[in-house]
């Protein structure tokens, strides 16, 4: 349906079908009966009232998941059958792509054409990827030194708590549940309070696909209550969290102080993009723009996007006309290459070309295919980004574009570019999670490496150069979990994704993602009179 704002603008509002907790295959009110409001970041208006889960609701969800794991058929089902069900879920997500795209757009302020072109296809692709691993989980035969035979078994960890953020609601819901379910675990998902709607929708699709009751549970609510209850629950065997480093520490402490449950953390980032003087300057500018202002996930079989025309082709092939411009969004992504280091020979020209990218830039309703950037997810994030922009100006960085909020309603911020940024400034040190780029200068390769590593984070980094020797040296010297050379944001389902240092540990894609939901058991028996050891 549509709604009129100020008598002029028609805003699309999708039908909200699911707002209750999903526990043991049913939608339920919270035990307390409480609800909370989820808001439209375009206007700040309320979209729907969603059930507010708390400790008792988490207890009920964990109880259902424990029963399903200990006595249910899911972990005892063949990997082939689990994979078949996950494949069916992928089909259903594609069939309901329009609804899911609209939910993520209205709930998170994401560009609708981006959710259609990338987020939902990515979710379906990831499900199929991990479905393919489900029947390939097996151990090894071991060569013992004594008269024994030995082998290993890979067994599902058990009940897994999955706590997801708000910037990629559908993608990260799937990225968490797919490897865990493929491994044979049962799960309790706590989606971000800002974006609960698509997780509940996907839960219903999982039931339709054949995921048994109790295997997948969704408890909506707040981090300090529902999230904390998941992390500290004595009957949860493992927890995987994606979010800020500060909350990651809290989750890890709760896991340690409860039952020493296994922990996987994908946390913040302040990733460097290092541009050398020999780089293709136009490509470097586009990559830098994409690295900071582009909220998206490219985890598909056709993901490597080096130039705007390639990206334009991908969108246009999905029926989206962008008039040759590079689509973007609100910069809310942990991978953002928000520290842009440019070799001094091309520094001034890089700044000039980067500012030129803003021409014809359109902020507005993410349901409009001509819009390049939507709103920040909520008022709190909106105000946080504006505080960092003020800090950048106060500490002496040169503001060369943007820096202001846009409009009287909603949470829109101009794409903001700072030059002459120093290493000790807040905008150079802290993860802002918004449309803010910091441009810095370097002279030598050694200086570039030192500056790139001068951060408490280690999630990703980018290198732009035509020199293979430089690319090899720098990629091996930067301490980060993913290094992109002459590209950025190119991720694949089979490429392990996770960080170094305070960006966390554990991988959320690739074979390593399913391995973290498996325990290794050694089985040893004696041999009597065998001719071979």
């Amino acid at each position: 349906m549509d709604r009129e704002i100020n008598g002029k603008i028609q805003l699309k509002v999708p039908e909200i079908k699911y707002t209750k907790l999903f526990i043991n295959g049913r939608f339920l009110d919270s035990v307390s009966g409480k609800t909370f409001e989820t808001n439209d970041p375009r206007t700040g208006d309320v979209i729907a009232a969603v059930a507010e889960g708390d400790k008792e609701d988490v207890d009920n969800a964990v109880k259902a998941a424990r029963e399903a794991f200990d006595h249910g058929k899911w972990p005892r089902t063949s990997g082939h059958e689990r994979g078949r069900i996950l494949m069916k879920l992928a089909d259903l997500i594609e069939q309901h792509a329009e609804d899911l795209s609209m939910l993520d757009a209205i709930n998170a302020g994401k560009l609708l054409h981006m959710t259609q072109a990338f987020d939902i296809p990515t979710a379906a692709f990831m499900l199929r990827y991990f479905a393919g691993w489900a029947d390939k989980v097996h151990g090894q035969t071991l060569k013992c030194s004594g008269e024994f035979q030995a082998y290993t078994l890979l067994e599902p960890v058990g009940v897994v708590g999955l706590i997801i953020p708000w910037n990629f609601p559908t993608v990260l819901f799937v990225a968490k549940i797919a490897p865990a379910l493929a491994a044979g675990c049962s799960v309790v998902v706590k989606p971000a309070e800002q974006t609960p709607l698509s997780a509940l929708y996907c839960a219903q699709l999982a039931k339709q696909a054949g995921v048994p009751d109790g295997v997948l549970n969704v408890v909506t609510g707040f981090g300090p209550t529902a999230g904390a209850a998941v992390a500290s629950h004595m009957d949860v065997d493992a927890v995987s969290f994606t979010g800020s480093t500060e909350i990651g520490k809290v989750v890890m402490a709760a896991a340690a102080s409860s039952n020493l449950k296994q922990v996987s953390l994908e946390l913040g980032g302040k990733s460097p993009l290092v541009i050398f003087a020999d780089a293709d300057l136009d490509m470097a500018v586009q990559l830098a723009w994409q690295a900071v202002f582009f909220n998206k996930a490219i985890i598909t079989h056709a993901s490597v996007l080096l130039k705007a025309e390639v990206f334009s082709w991908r969108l246009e092939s999905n029926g989206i006309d962008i008039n040759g411009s590079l689509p973007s969004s609100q910069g809310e992504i942990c991978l953002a290459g928000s520290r842009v280091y440019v070799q001094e020979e091309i520094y001034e020209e890089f700044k000039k070309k980067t500012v030129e990218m803003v021409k014809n830039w359109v902020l507005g309703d993410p349901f409009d295919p001509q819009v390049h950037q939507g709103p920040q997810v909520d008022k709190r994030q909106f105000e946080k980004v504006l505080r960092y922009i003020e800090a950048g100006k106060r500490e002496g960085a040169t503001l060369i574009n943007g820096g202001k909020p846009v409009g009287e309603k909603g949470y829109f911020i101009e794409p903001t570019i700072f030059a002459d940024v120093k290493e000790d400034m807040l905008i150079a040190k802290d993860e802002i999670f918004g449309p803010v780029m910091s441009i810095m200068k370097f002279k030598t390769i050694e200086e570039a490496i030192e500056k790139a590593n001068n951060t408490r984070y280690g999630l990703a980094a980018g290198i732009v150069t035509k020199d293979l020797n430089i690319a090899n040296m720098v990629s091996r010297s930067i301490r980060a979990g993913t290094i992109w050379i002459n590209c950025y944001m190119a991720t694949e389902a089979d490429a392990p994704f996770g960080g170094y240092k305070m960006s966390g540990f554990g991988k959320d894609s690739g074979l390593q993602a399913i391995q973290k939901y498996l325990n290794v058991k050694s089985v040893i028996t004696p041999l009597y009179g065998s001719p071979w050891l």
Side-chain angles (χ1 to χ4, degrees):
M1 59 182 162
D2 292 342
R3 126 176 110 184
E4 190 170 290
I5 302 296
N6 296 328
K8 297 179 180 180
I9 304 173
Q10 293 290 327
L11 295 183
K12 294 181 179 179
V13 181
E15 180 184 359
I16 308 302
K17 297 180 179 179
Y18 309 111
T19 59
K20 297 184 179 183
L21 313 178
F22 188 80
I23 298 175
N24 205 21
R26 295 189 299 151
F27 284 105
L28 304 170
D29 292 320
S30 62
V31 172
S32 68
K34 292 182 180 179
T35 61
F36 66 95
E37 295 176 345
T38 186
N39 298 305
D40 183 343
R42 301 176 299 177
T43 62
D45 295 343
V46 176
I47 302 171
V50 179
E52 183 181 339
D54 206 333
K55 184 179 183 303
E56 289 181 89
D57 303 290
V58 171
D59 286 342
N60 290 337
V62 173
K63 182 179 179 181
R66 174 56 60 191
E67 177 67 20
F69 183 79
D70 288 348
H71 305 292
K73 62 182 181 180
W74 186 254
R76 296 159 188 85
T77 298
S78 70
H80 172 79
E81 178 63 12
R82 289 200 302 270
R84 187 192 66 79
I85 291 172
L86 292 179
M87 289 284 191
K88 186 174 181 181
L89 176 55
D91 293 341
L92 288 170
I93 283 178
E94 286 184 335
Q95 292 170 25
H96 293 264
E98 182 176 358
D99 285 349
L100 288 169
S101 296
M102 292 181 73
L103 288 176
D104 281 357
I106 193 176
N107 218 184
K110 295 174 68 69
L111 300 182
L112 179 62
H113 56 268
M114 292 302 302
T115 61
Q116 291 172 333
F118 288 103
D119 290 42
I120 308 309
T122 289
F125 183 80
M126 291 187 74
L127 273 166
R128 294 190 177 105
Y129 172 81
F130 285 109
W133 274 113
D135 61 356
K136 300 170 184 66
V137 173
H138 51 77
Q140 297 175 311
T141 300
L142 307 176
K143 179 66 174 175
C144 296
S145 59
E147 293 185 351
F148 298 93
Q149 66 173 3
Y151 59 90
T152 61
L153 295 173
L154 299 182
E155 300 180 342
V157 166
V159 176
V160 179
L162 305 171
I163 304 174
I164 60 177
W166 41 259
N167 55 335
F168 291 97
T170 299
V171 170
L172 290 176
F173 177 85
V174 168
K176 293 292 187 185
I177 69 163
L181 295 182
C185 297
S186 57
V187 302
V188 176
V189 184
K190 209 298 282 184
E193 55 266 30
Q194 295 90 341
T195 54
L197 299 177
S198 59
L200 294 170
Y201 197 110
C202 287
Q204 176 63 19
L205 295 182
K207 183 178 176 69
Q208 293 178 35
V211 176
D213 292 349
V215 171
L216 171 60
N217 307 275
V218 179
V219 179
T220 52
F222 295 93
T225 50
V230 171
S232 61
H233 204 287
M234 293 296 292
D235 221 10
V236 170
D237 300 299
V239 62
S240 179
F241 170 80
T242 295
S244 71
T245 298
E246 291 71 25
I247 302 302
K249 293 179 180 180
V250 174
V251 169
M252 194 168 181
S257 63
S258 54
N259 60 343
L260 280 175
K261 58 178 63 67
Q262 298 179 34
V263 178
S264 173
L265 302 174
E266 194 274 283
L267 306 176
K270 192 69 176 176
S271 300
L273 176 63
V274 185
I275 301 171
F276 289 90
D278 70 331
D280 179 323
L281 188 56
D282 289 334
M283 183 181 78
V285 169
Q286 289 181 346
L287 289 178
W289 194 261
Q290 176 181 318
V292 178
F293 300 112
F294 200 10
N295 166 290
K296 67 177 178 64
I298 308 176
I299 316 177
T300 68
H301 52 287
S303 68
V304 181
L305 308 174
L306 300 183
K307 293 181 177 289
E309 57 264 28
V310 178
F311 183 63
S312 300
W313 172 85
R314 176 69 190 274
L315 288 177
E316 288 163 3
S317 70
N318 282 273
I320 299 162
D321 177 18
I322 58 171
N323 296 324
S325 60
L326 181 65
S328 182
S329 191
Q330 55 272 50
E332 294 169 337
I333 183 167
C334 56
L335 291 170
S338 52
R339 293 186 295 140
V340 181
Y341 293 101
V342 183
Q343 202 156 20
E344 61 181 4
E345 294 92 326
I346 60 171
Y347 182 77
E348 294 300 329
E349 186 67 15
F350 178 88
K351 287 195 303 180
K352 178 182 176 181
K353 285 181 173 287
T354 301
V355 173
E356 288 175 357
M357 289 285 292
V358 187
K359 293 180 180 178
N360 303 316
W361 198 253
V362 180
L363 278 73
D365 183 359
F367 281 70
D368 183 345
Q370 304 306 315
V371 165
H372 303 110
Q373 181 178 322
Q376 309 309 124
V377 71
D378 62 9
K379 184 178 181 181
R380 180 180 178 183
Q381 185 65 21
F382 171 78
E383 292 176 344
K384 173 188 172 184
V385 174
L386 291 176
R387 286 195 299 271
Y388 273 111
I389 292 172
E390 289 305 310
K393 293 188 287 187
R394 185 174 61 249
E395 292 182 339
T398 303
L399 181 66
I400 61 175
N401 190 80
K404 298 188 295 295
V406 177
E408 297 180 358
K409 298 193 74 172
Y411 309 123
F412 299 87
I413 298 176
E414 293 176 326
T416 300
I417 306 171
F418 283 103
D420 308 317
V421 177
K422 306 301 181 186
E423 300 291 318
D424 59 350
M425 294 179 179
L426 285 176
I427 57 172
K429 295 191 298 183
D430 290 2
E431 183 182 42
I432 299 174
F433 225 68
V436 182
M437 176 191 290
S438 295
I439 305 176
M440 292 168 272
K441 187 189 300 183
F442 72 92
K443 293 183 179 181
T444 66
I445 297 174
E446 292 75 19
E447 182 186 1
I449 293 169
E450 180 181 357
K451 288 179 178 292
N453 284 328
N454 185 24
T455 175
R456 60 186 179 272
Y457 297 112
L459 192 56
I463 302 164
V464 189
T465 179
K466 296 177 183 177
D467 190 320
L468 180 61
N469 292 325
I470 291 176
N472 285 336
M473 176 183 177
V474 178
S475 63
R476 284 162 172 75
S477 300
I478 295 178
R479 299 189 64 215
T482 298
I483 308 290
W484 289 295
I485 299 172
N486 293 330
C487 60
Y488 207 91
M489 297 286 188
T491 55
E492 290 284 345
D494 58 355
F497 172 68
Y500 287 18
K501 300 188 284 186
M502 293 183 73
S503 289
F505 49 85
K507 303 298 181 182
D508 272 346
S509 55
L511 174 59
Q512 288 80 359
I514 197 168
Q515 286 175 335
K516 72 184 181 184
Y517 298 116
L518 296 166
N519 282 330
V520 181
K521 176 185 288 183
S522 294
V523 180
I524 305 170
T525 59
L527 290 173
Y528 299 104
S530 173
W532 305 102
L533 291 181

mmCIF file of all heavy atoms in Angstrom, residues 60-77:
data_model
loop_
_atom_site.group_PDB
_atom_site.id
_atom_site.type_symbol
_atom_site.label_atom_id
_atom_site.label_comp_id
_atom_site.label_asym_id
_atom_site.label_seq_id
_atom_site.Cartn_x
_atom_site.Cartn_y
_atom_site.Cartn_z
ATOM 1 N N ASN A 60 12.140 -20.391 26.504
ATOM 2 C CA ASN A 60 11.202 -21.237 25.753
ATOM 3 C C ASN A 60 11.769 -21.629 24.392
ATOM 4 O O ASN A 60 11.614 -22.781 23.948
ATOM 5 C CB ASN A 60 9.873 -20.503 25.574
ATOM 6 C CG ASN A 60 9.102 -20.351 26.871
ATOM 7 O OD1 ASN A 60 9.308 -21.123 27.815
ATOM 8 N ND2 ASN A 60 8.233 -19.362 26.935
ATOM 9 N N ALA A 61 12.434 -20.672 23.741
ATOM 10 C CA ALA A 61 13.024 -20.960 22.440
ATOM 11 C C ALA A 61 14.163 -21.968 22.562
ATOM 12 O O ALA A 61 14.280 -22.895 21.749
ATOM 13 C CB ALA A 61 13.519 -19.671 21.795
ATOM 14 N N VAL A 62 15.002 -21.800 23.579
ATOM 15 C CA VAL A 62 16.112 -22.728 23.789
ATOM 16 C C VAL A 62 15.593 -24.117 24.157
ATOM 17 O O VAL A 62 16.129 -25.137 23.696
ATOM 18 C CB VAL A 62 17.077 -22.192 24.863
ATOM 19 C CG1 VAL A 62 18.140 -23.236 25.210
ATOM 20 C CG2 VAL A 62 17.739 -20.908 24.397
ATOM 21 N N LYS A 63 14.545 -24.154 24.942
ATOM 22 C CA LYS A 63 13.945 -25.447 25.294
ATOM 23 C C LYS A 63 13.455 -26.175 24.047
ATOM 24 O O LYS A 63 13.664 -27.391 23.889
ATOM 25 C CB LYS A 63 12.786 -25.233 26.267
ATOM 26 C CG LYS A 63 12.119 -26.524 26.731
ATOM 27 C CD LYS A 63 10.990 -26.240 27.711
ATOM 28 C CE LYS A 63 10.308 -27.534 28.149
ATOM 29 N NZ LYS A 63 9.178 -27.259 29.090
ATOM 30 N N ALA A 64 12.806 -25.435 23.153
ATOM 31 C CA ALA A 64 12.331 -26.041 21.899
ATOM 32 C C ALA A 64 13.503 -26.502 21.037
ATOM 33 O O ALA A 64 13.482 -27.591 20.453
ATOM 34 C CB ALA A 64 11.470 -25.037 21.131
ATOM 35 N N ALA A 65 14.540 -25.676 20.970
ATOM 36 C CA ALA A 65 15.712 -26.033 20.171
ATOM 37 C C ALA A 65 16.441 -27.227 20.762
ATOM 38 O O ALA A 65 16.926 -28.103 20.037
ATOM 39 C CB ALA A 65 16.658 -24.829 20.081
ATOM 40 N N ARG A 66 16.516 -27.296 22.094
ATOM 41 C CA ARG A 66 17.174 -28.422 22.757
ATOM 42 C C ARG A 66 16.416 -29.722 22.517
ATOM 43 O O ARG A 66 17.011 -30.778 22.231
ATOM 44 C CB ARG A 66 17.294 -28.121 24.251
ATOM 45 C CG ARG A 66 17.841 -29.257 25.110
ATOM 46 C CD ARG A 66 19.189 -29.746 24.637
ATOM 47 N NE ARG A 66 20.194 -28.690 24.654
ATOM 48 C CZ ARG A 66 21.399 -28.785 24.103
ATOM 49 N NH1 ARG A 66 21.735 -29.883 23.430
ATOM 50 N NH2 ARG A 66 22.247 -27.786 24.166
ATOM 51 N N GLU A 67 15.113 -29.666 22.613
ATOM 52 C CA GLU A 67 14.299 -30.856 22.365
ATOM 53 C C GLU A 67 14.467 -31.312 20.915
ATOM 54 O O GLU A 67 14.599 -32.517 20.646
ATOM 55 C CB GLU A 67 12.827 -30.545 22.653
ATOM 56 C CG GLU A 67 11.858 -31.681 22.372
ATOM 57 C CD GLU A 67 12.032 -32.877 23.301
ATOM 58 O OE1 GLU A 67 12.617 -32.705 24.394
ATOM 59 O OE2 GLU A 67 11.572 -33.990 22.935
ATOM 60 N N ALA A 68 14.468 -30.356 19.991
ATOM 61 C CA ALA A 68 14.615 -30.695 18.585
ATOM 62 C C ALA A 68 15.984 -31.299 18.301
ATOM 63 O O ALA A 68 16.118 -32.180 17.441
ATOM 64 C CB ALA A 68 14.402 -29.453 17.726
ATOM 65 N N PHE A 69 17.011 -30.833 19.014
ATOM 66 C CA PHE A 69 18.349 -31.363 18.783
ATOM 67 C C PHE A 69 18.553 -32.710 19.479
ATOM 68 O O PHE A 69 19.062 -33.665 18.881
ATOM 69 C CB PHE A 69 19.415 -30.380 19.266
ATOM 70 C CG PHE A 69 20.812 -30.860 18.990
ATOM 71 C CD1 PHE A 69 21.354 -30.732 17.728
ATOM 72 C CD2 PHE A 69 21.564 -31.479 19.980
ATOM 73 C CE1 PHE A 69 22.629 -31.196 17.447
ATOM 74 C CE2 PHE A 69 22.841 -31.949 19.710
ATOM 75 C CZ PHE A 69 23.375 -31.811 18.442
ATOM 76 N N ASP A 70 18.139 -32.794 20.732
ATOM 77 C CA ASP A 70 18.400 -34.018 21.505
ATOM 78 C C ASP A 70 17.521 -35.184 21.074
ATOM 79 O O ASP A 70 17.960 -36.344 21.105
ATOM 80 C CB ASP A 70 18.180 -33.749 22.995
ATOM 81 C CG ASP A 70 19.273 -32.879 23.594
ATOM 82 O OD1 ASP A 70 20.308 -32.683 22.930
ATOM 83 O OD2 ASP A 70 19.091 -32.378 24.720
ATOM 84 N N HIS A 71 16.286 -34.899 20.676
ATOM 85 C CA HIS A 71 15.344 -35.977 20.394
ATOM 86 C C HIS A 71 14.679 -35.887 19.023
ATOM 87 O O HIS A 71 13.938 -36.799 18.643
ATOM 88 C CB HIS A 71 14.255 -36.004 21.475
ATOM 89 C CG HIS A 71 14.807 -36.105 22.868
ATOM 90 N ND1 HIS A 71 15.448 -37.231 23.328
ATOM 91 C CD2 HIS A 71 14.825 -35.190 23.879
ATOM 92 C CE1 HIS A 71 15.829 -37.023 24.591
ATOM 93 N NE2 HIS A 71 15.477 -35.806 24.939
ATOM 94 N N GLY A 72 14.924 -34.813 18.309
ATOM 95 C CA GLY A 72 14.281 -34.634 17.010
ATOM 96 C C GLY A 72 15.062 -35.267 15.883
ATOM 97 O O GLY A 72 16.153 -35.819 16.062
ATOM 98 N N LYS A 73 14.509 -35.157 14.689
ATOM 99 C CA LYS A 73 15.096 -35.851 13.542
ATOM 100 C C LYS A 73 16.137 -35.030 12.787
ATOM 101 O O LYS A 73 16.905 -35.584 12.008
ATOM 102 C CB LYS A 73 13.994 -36.285 12.578
ATOM 103 C CG LYS A 73 13.186 -35.133 11.972
ATOM 104 C CD LYS A 73 12.076 -35.675 11.073
ATOM 105 C CE LYS A 73 11.274 -34.537 10.440
ATOM 106 N NZ LYS A 73 10.199 -35.044 9.567
ATOM 107 N N TRP A 74 16.185 -33.702 13.001
ATOM 108 C CA TRP A 74 17.053 -32.874 12.168
ATOM 109 C C TRP A 74 18.522 -33.286 12.215
ATOM 110 O O TRP A 74 19.123 -33.543 11.176
ATOM 111 C CB TRP A 74 16.899 -31.402 12.544
ATOM 112 C CG TRP A 74 17.656 -30.466 11.649
ATOM 113 C CD1 TRP A 74 18.799 -29.786 11.932
ATOM 114 C CD2 TRP A 74 17.313 -30.111 10.298
ATOM 115 N NE1 TRP A 74 19.205 -29.026 10.868
ATOM 116 C CE2 TRP A 74 18.304 -29.202 9.835
ATOM 117 C CE3 TRP A 74 16.280 -30.477 9.434
ATOM 118 C CZ2 TRP A 74 18.279 -28.661 8.552
ATOM 119 C CZ3 TRP A 74 16.256 -29.928 8.159
ATOM 120 C CH2 TRP A 74 17.242 -29.042 7.730
ATOM 121 N N PRO A 75 19.157 -33.408 13.403
ATOM 122 C CA PRO A 75 20.570 -33.809 13.403
ATOM 123 C C PRO A 75 20.779 -35.265 13.010
ATOM 124 O O PRO A 75 21.915 -35.679 12.721
ATOM 125 C CB PRO A 75 21.016 -33.557 14.841
ATOM 126 C CG PRO A 75 19.774 -33.597 15.645
ATOM 127 C CD PRO A 75 18.675 -33.104 14.754
ATOM 128 N N ARG A 76 19.705 -36.040 12.991
ATOM 129 C CA ARG A 76 19.787 -37.464 12.631
ATOM 130 C C ARG A 76 19.342 -37.715 11.190
ATOM 131 O O ARG A 76 19.344 -38.843 10.727
ATOM 132 C CB ARG A 76 18.936 -38.278 13.605
ATOM 133 C CG ARG A 76 19.486 -38.181 15.025
ATOM 134 C CD ARG A 76 18.461 -38.523 16.102
ATOM 135 N NE ARG A 76 19.040 -38.211 17.409
ATOM 136 C CZ ARG A 76 19.010 -37.010 17.969
ATOM 137 N NH1 ARG A 76 18.393 -36.010 17.341
ATOM 138 N NH2 ARG A 76 19.577 -36.776 19.135
ATOM 139 N N THR A 77 18.923 -36.632 10.533
ATOM 140 C CA THR A 77 18.549 -36.713 9.122
ATOM 141 C C THR A 77 19.812 -36.735 8.278
ATOM 142 O O THR A 77 20.827 -36.132 8.636
ATOM 143 C CB THR A 77 17.677 -35.493 8.746
ATOM 144 O OG1 THR A 77 16.470 -35.532 9.520
ATOM 145 C CG2 THR A 77 17.318 -35.500 7.268
#
